[in-house]
Amino acid sequence: MSKYLKFKTPAASQATDLAADFGLSNHGLIHLDRVYWNLPTSALYEEAVFRNEGAVAHGGPLVVNTGKWSARAAQDKYVVREATTEDRIWWGEYNRPYDPEKFNALFARVQAYLQDEELFVQDCWAGADPEYRMPVRIITEKAWHSLFARNMFITVRDRNELKEHVPEFTVIAVPDFRTDPRVDGTRTDTAVIINFAQRLALICNTSYGGEIKKTIFTVLNFLLPLRRVLSMHCSANVGPEGDVALFFGLSGTGKTTLSADPGRRLIGDDEHGWSDDGVFNFEGGCYAKVIRLSAEHEPQIWATTRRFGTILENVVMDPTSRRLDLDDDRYTENTRAAYPLEFIPNVVPEGMVRSHPKNVILLTCDAQGVLPPIARLDPDRAVYHFISGYTSKIAGTEIGLGIEPEITFSACFGAPFMVHHPFEYADMLKQKMLHHGARCWLVNTGWVGGPFGVGKRISIRHTRALLNAALDGRLDEVEYRKDELFGFDVPTSCPGVPDEVLDPSSSWGDKDEYWRRYDGLAARYIDNFKLFEKGCPAEVRAAGPRRWKG
């Protein structure tokens, strides 16, 4: 921008007021035009609007459009393969190896590309626990990306701390820079590349804000388990008695919605660590899906979409009235709101609790319509289902997904962000559950009465009633049946929920078709787990489903 506009922008005079002594030349970024350091929300609003990056909607949120990249480019993520990662990374579909020399050559081109440009910097913390938090730096081309980082991570409020901030990991987001597959060895002209040796990540040719947060999450997933901290793709809340609940699940399964419970305090909505001292949030904000959001059913999250400081990605806004239409999916199903955690009432302001989970919830969105809405898992079945990570990818959460949900198995309910082998995370989870006496529940937020296109999505009212009963111990007082195929325990009744809801076969007109589909799902589980059998103990392998005998 600065190559074409040679006049002051709204925050130009304050650009370096909050600058760190550890400058961008330490990252090899030199001959820059102007760097905007740690601008607050209001100044970033002014810069974003001035640069035509977004518009202010009724109520105050900043509405932006990410263009082609309205979801994660999951197939374009790489990890540099070098001495420190060679034997520690779970190489494969989600951790594609990248050559160190190619990374250096690519970074040199990025450095040249950024000369004479204006940049924005946010110096933040990742991790609310002072014992484990990591200082990070997010360097962006766009003002709204800097606001995104400010919303999502833990901001540094003290001027002296900002001045002395030295990042342990840096992300450089250059959405207008395209990689060249012929030169760079990338799959496309988009790439997200993490270099652990250099403590540096490049995000090229994508404007989707989620890439920034998930890059830092991936970094923590590598580093924290080496310090005996379980990193988790989950939301977390805590009850009046200090009982923590974890909600694992992929995007679209209900992590954010179900953890925002007015009767419990929210710790965080997406990424957490479980240490020997308790549970802590990695972030300082929330990144919630808002497509067809209802003020009636999700009032806390809905309220953030009418508030100054929230970023709305790809939400439709009437340009004249500035009113939002959260039901309009013309740009994507994956419309998002990024807002500070403090926007949600009844949160844990410290982002951490010195108590341990009593309930672990594994959320799955079963598009086949065959799983029960809730089931209790013993420790070995908990490990089996955690490693399996069965769910359905919901339209819009990744590039290339269509309207119909896509059956998937995502290890640890977050395979794209896991860096070690899944059993390492699963075994840590089991040991912590056993040590602290936590119960594990498999909760289905998918379809009932038939598969997608035939049945309907499970009522959020019923899901909340089942969860509340599990968390407050009322499900300890009811009878259970043993599931014929999966062997987990399914309650036969629950206060506030019709009994037939707990038996998914009862809502199918064709019972034989139900069992054929259920058997088909069991077969998919068995086939998928073959990828992980090596290294898993016999008791975990035996915790899988059995085929239907008719």
Side-chain angles (χ1 to χ4, degrees):
M1 177 176 176
S2 61
K3 293 177 181 177
Y4 309 103
L5 296 178
K6 294 298 182 181
F7 47 84
K8 287 187 176 181
T9 65
S13 298
Q14 297 80 41
T16 60
D17 287 357
L18 300 175
D21 288 340
F22 191 84
L24 295 194
S25 61
N26 291 283
H27 306 290
L29 301 178
I30 58 176
H31 307 307
L32 302 170
D33 183 351
R34 183 181 288 118
V35 180
Y36 297 83
W37 287 87
N38 297 303
L39 292 184
T41 299
S42 297
L44 288 169
Y45 255 69
E46 292 173 351
E47 288 290 330
V49 172
F50 178 83
R51 296 158 190 267
N52 201 32
E53 295 175 7
V56 181
H58 175 75
L62 181 68
V63 179
V64 299
N65 192 290
T66 63
K68 173 184 175 182
W69 298 272
S70 59
R72 288 182 294 105
Q75 304 301 312
D76 295 302
K77 172 191 161 190
Y78 304 88
V79 177
V80 174
R81 191 170 196 162
E82 33 76 27
T84 66
T85 58
E86 175 71 39
D87 298 324
R88 288 178 167 172
I89 298 293
W90 179 41
W91 301 108
E93 178 184 1
Y94 297 114
N95 298 298
R96 297 168 179 80
Y98 197 76
D99 182 76
E101 293 185 3
K102 285 190 178 295
F103 180 88
N104 291 336
L106 173 61
F107 184 39
R109 296 203 340 266
V110 170
Q111 291 168 314
Y113 164 80
L114 291 176
Q115 290 191 14
D116 290 329
E117 290 289 351
E118 294 181 329
L119 293 176
F120 294 84
V121 177
Q122 286 291 326
D123 287 327
C124 315
W125 296 103
D129 190 335
E131 181 70 23
Y132 301 105
R133 68 184 184 182
M134 181 175 69
V136 298
R137 173 167 288 172
I138 312 298
I139 303 171
T140 64
E141 284 186 283
K142 296 186 180 297
W144 83 261
H145 279 154
S146 195
L147 178 59
F148 181 90
R150 188 173 183 83
N151 280 358
M152 294 311 306
F153 301 111
I154 299 169
T155 55
V156 181
R157 303 291 185 181
D158 185 86
R159 285 196 176 205
N160 290 328
E161 285 189 32
L162 283 173
K163 185 176 177 63
E164 297 170 0
H165 190 92
V166 178
E168 292 182 12
F169 212 97
T170 300
V171 174
I172 302 177
V174 281
D176 294 331
F177 178 90
R178 295 187 178 186
T179 56
D180 186 339
R182 299 167 300 177
V183 176
D184 300 315
T186 53
R187 189 181 70 95
T188 66
D189 55 7
T190 296
V192 178
I193 309 174
I194 300 174
N195 189 325
F196 284 102
Q198 296 185 24
R199 296 294 179 113
L200 175 67
L202 301 177
I203 300 176
C204 304
N205 194 36
T206 170
S207 294
Y208 182 61
E211 296 288 11
I212 296 173
K213 79 179 238 86
K214 289 305 186 187
T215 295
I216 292 296
F217 182 44
T218 303
V219 169
L220 294 175
N221 279 334
F222 178 69
L223 297 176
L224 286 179
L226 302 178
R227 301 179 63 187
R228 294 171 49 85
V229 175
L230 175 60
S231 54
M232 306 175 291
H233 185 215
C234 70
S235 58
N237 62 26
V238 58
E241 305 301 320
D243 57 306
V244 175
L246 304 177
F247 300 79
F248 288 90
L250 290 181
S251 296
T253 56
K255 290 196 318 299
T256 299
T257 298
L258 294 172
S259 59
D261 185 337
R264 300 171 64 85
R265 291 189 300 154
L266 181 69
I267 304 171
D269 85 319
D270 196 42
E271 304 168 4
H272 292 82
W274 187 354
S275 71
D276 291 339
D277 300 318
V279 173
F280 63 96
N281 194 355
F282 288 168
E283 302 179 302
C286 300
Y287 192 49
K289 286 190 72 173
V290 295
I291 190 69
R292 290 177 285 278
L293 200 67
S294 165
E296 177 185 357
H297 296 296
E298 298 164 290
Q300 295 182 351
I301 302 173
W302 183 90
T304 69
T305 67
R306 270 69 179 170
R307 184 162 178 174
F308 178 84
T310 296
I311 300 171
L312 296 177
E313 284 185 341
N314 304 311
V315 170
V316 175
M317 177 190 74
D318 182 87
T320 302
S321 68
R322 299 300 177 100
R323 300 279 180 170
L324 303 172
D325 185 352
L326 297 180
D327 296 330
D328 196 326
D329 61 357
R330 73 180 67 176
Y331 301 130
T332 177
E333 279 272 334
N334 192 37
T335 55
R336 292 274 176 170
Y339 50 88
L341 188 63
E342 64 196 41
F343 282 13
I344 297 292
N346 206 29
V347 300
V348 177
E350 303 84 6
M352 57 182 290
V353 292
R354 297 301 189 190
S355 59
H356 297 275
K358 293 303 180 186
N359 289 280
V360 174
I361 315 297
L362 307 183
L363 295 169
T364 181
C365 175
D366 176 32
Q368 299 301 296
V370 292
L371 283 177
I374 192 168
R376 189 175 59 192
L377 308 179
D378 61 40
D380 290 323
R381 284 189 170 83
V383 170
Y384 185 93
H385 283 270
F386 185 70
I387 291 177
S388 298
Y390 166 67
T391 191
S392 303
K393 293 181 182 178
I394 304 300
T397 53
E398 287 185 14
I399 295 293
L401 290 180
I403 298 299
E404 185 168 343
E406 179 182 309
I407 292 177
T408 188
F409 291 87
S410 186
C412 307
F413 292 93
F417 325 118
M418 300 299 130
V419 190
H420 300 288
H421 189 280
F423 184 71
E424 293 188 37
Y425 302 101
D427 191 50
M428 288 183 72
L429 177 65
K430 178 182 176 181
Q431 298 309 318
K432 287 182 177 294
M433 286 175 56
L434 289 172
H435 183 71
H436 297 290
R439 295 170 297 183
C440 187
W441 307 87
L442 181 68
V443 174
N444 173 24
T445 62
W447 275 257
V448 291
F452 174 85
V454 177
K456 63 179 181 178
R457 196 82 186 258
I458 292 175
S459 164
I460 190 171
R461 179 170 57 85
H462 289 154
T463 300
R464 283 196 182 279
L466 289 164
L467 274 175
N468 289 338
L471 297 181
D472 63 23
R474 282 177 293 155
L475 284 189
D476 295 341
E477 303 167 358
V478 303
E479 292 185 1
Y480 285 78
R481 65 176 175 84
K482 188 72 69 174
D483 187 85
E484 186 173 337
L485 298 190
F486 282 80
F488 43 50
D489 297 320
V490 181
T492 57
S493 64
C494 174
V497 179
D499 291 351
E500 60 269 20
V501 172
L502 295 163
D503 179 9
S505 67
S506 66
S507 58
W508 282 62
D510 186 336
K511 297 298 188 292
D512 286 340
E513 176 62 17
Y514 168 82
W515 285 107
R516 282 192 292 269
R517 283 204 176 247
Y518 204 11
D519 179 63
L521 179 60
R524 292 285 293 269
Y525 261 92
I526 294 168
D527 188 57
N528 172 75
F529 204 80
K530 292 176 182 177
L531 300 171
F532 311 104
E533 283 183 340
K534 186 177 180 181
C536 285
E539 59 268 24
V540 174
R541 297 195 301 269
R546 305 291 184 266
R547 298 296 303 275
W548 181 51
K549 296 180 180 179

